[in-house]
């Protein structure tokens, strides 16, 4: 039975790499896929991995009906056996419903990849709808690491190396961005709560949260 599968994880955990791997494996078996993306770091109409792999993709716009797009392609003689959607967190909830319709009405597997929460630890609307509708949820097994070495569970937005917690939900950036620019860093929950990025940790003193020492 075809499925809507949501692969989730923090930034820098290999989501786009896995999407490209699934496309490669199915292509090697003669299957044809349609790849959608939204606001990829490599630019419009691209699906890119931090390992340097890039492929062309269909850029999803605010008003696009992805189900209708696919039906038009098939009606014009195109072929599609499955669908891949990267940066799925940026899709609108009704576009996630359209992905579910592709599975149910066109009987195709849909593999969606994205992060669940934003830099404020709030669910992206697209990710929330995927959690509600997906046949299967898959947490990626490649663990991104916080600067302290612990498993990274949260995405932090940084400006000048300092973590920020206010602003628009969607601002395109990347990890390993120049310190002076808007960027992102993956952190464990403890350091996300303390707003402690790698830059601030290496520049600062001990956290004020340390336990007091009893000299008595």
């Amino acid at each position: 039975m075809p499925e809507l599968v949501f692969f989730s994880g923090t930034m820098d955990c290999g989501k786009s790499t896995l999407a490209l791997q699934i496309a490669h494996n199915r292509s090697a078996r003669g299957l044809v896929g349609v790849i959608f993306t939204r606001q990829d770091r490599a630019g419009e109409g691209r699906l890119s991995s931090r390992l340097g792999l890039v492929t062309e993709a269909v850029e999803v716009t605010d008003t696009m009906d992805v189900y209708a797009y696919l039906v038009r392609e098939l009606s014009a003689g195109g072929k599609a056996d499955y669908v891949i959607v990267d940066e799925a967190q940026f899709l609108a909830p009704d576009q996630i419903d359209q992905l579910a319709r592709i599975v149910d009405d066109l009987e195709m597997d849909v593999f969606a990849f994205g992060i669940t929460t934003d830099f404020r630890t709030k669910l992206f609307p697209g990710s929330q709808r995927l959690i509600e509708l997906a046949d299967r949820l898959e947490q990626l097994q490649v663990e991104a690491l916080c600067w302290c070495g612990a498993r990274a569970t949260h995405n932090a937005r940084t400006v000048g190396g300092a973590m920020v917690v206010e602003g628009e939900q969607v601002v395109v950036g990347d990890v390993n961005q120049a310190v002076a620019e808007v960027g992102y860093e993956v952190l464990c929950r403890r350091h996300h709560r303390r707003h402690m990025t790698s830059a601030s940790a290496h520049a600062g003193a001990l956290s004020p949260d340390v336990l007091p020492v009893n000299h008595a």
Side-chain angles (χ1 to χ4, degrees), residues 6-189:
F6 181 31
F7 295 89
S8 66
T10 62
M11 301 181 76
D12 210 21
C13 73
K15 296 182 299 300
S16 298
T17 301
L18 179 58
L20 289 163
Q21 185 68 57
I22 288 176
H24 170 77
N25 290 351
R26 293 191 167 226
S27 175
R29 296 295 178 264
L31 300 176
V32 177
V34 175
I35 300 175
F36 293 101
T37 190
R38 180 81 193 267
Q39 298 182 341
D40 187 272
R41 69 186 74 86
E44 184 173 322
R46 296 286 187 272
L47 166 56
S48 66
S49 163
R50 291 188 180 86
L51 298 182
L53 304 173
V54 183
T55 192
E56 292 185 358
V58 178
E59 184 76 16
V60 178
T61 64
D62 291 340
T63 58
M64 178 184 287
D65 184 325
V66 291
Y67 175 83
Y69 174 92
L70 197 56
V71 168
R72 285 196 301 271
E73 291 296 305
L74 295 172
S75 299
K79 187 176 187 300
D81 300 299
Y82 64 94
V83 170
I84 288 175
V85 184
D86 198 31
E87 307 293 357
Q89 73 274 5
F90 295 145
L91 270 62
D94 61 339
Q95 291 171 325
I96 303 302
D97 284 77
Q98 293 156 16
L99 296 181
R101 189 179 178 193
I102 290 171
V103 176
D104 297 339
D105 294 358
L106 303 182
E107 298 187 344
M108 294 182 194
D109 285 318
V110 174
F111 306 103
F113 298 81
I115 59 179
T116 53
T117 57
D118 63 16
F119 68 105
R120 302 165 299 184
T121 71
K122 304 298 183 182
L123 283 169
F124 282 100
S127 298
Q128 178 177 334
R129 192 63 179 143
L130 273 166
I131 292 169
E132 293 166 348
L133 290 183
D135 297 293
R136 184 155 49 94
L137 304 173
E138 296 284 349
Q139 186 77 23
L140 266 67
Q141 297 303 307
V142 177
E143 294 184 350
L145 298 179
C146 177
W147 60 264
C148 69
R151 178 172 176 262
T153 54
H154 291 66
N155 305 293
R157 182 181 294 170
T158 60
V159 177
M163 180 175 157
V164 295
V165 293
E166 296 182 352
E168 295 292 330
Q169 185 175 52
V170 179
V171 175
V172 177
D174 198 5
V175 296
N176 302 320
Q177 200 87 327
V179 170
E181 301 175 7
V182 174
Y184 290 89
E185 182 174 347
V186 289
L187 301 173
C188 64
R189 185 182 64 231

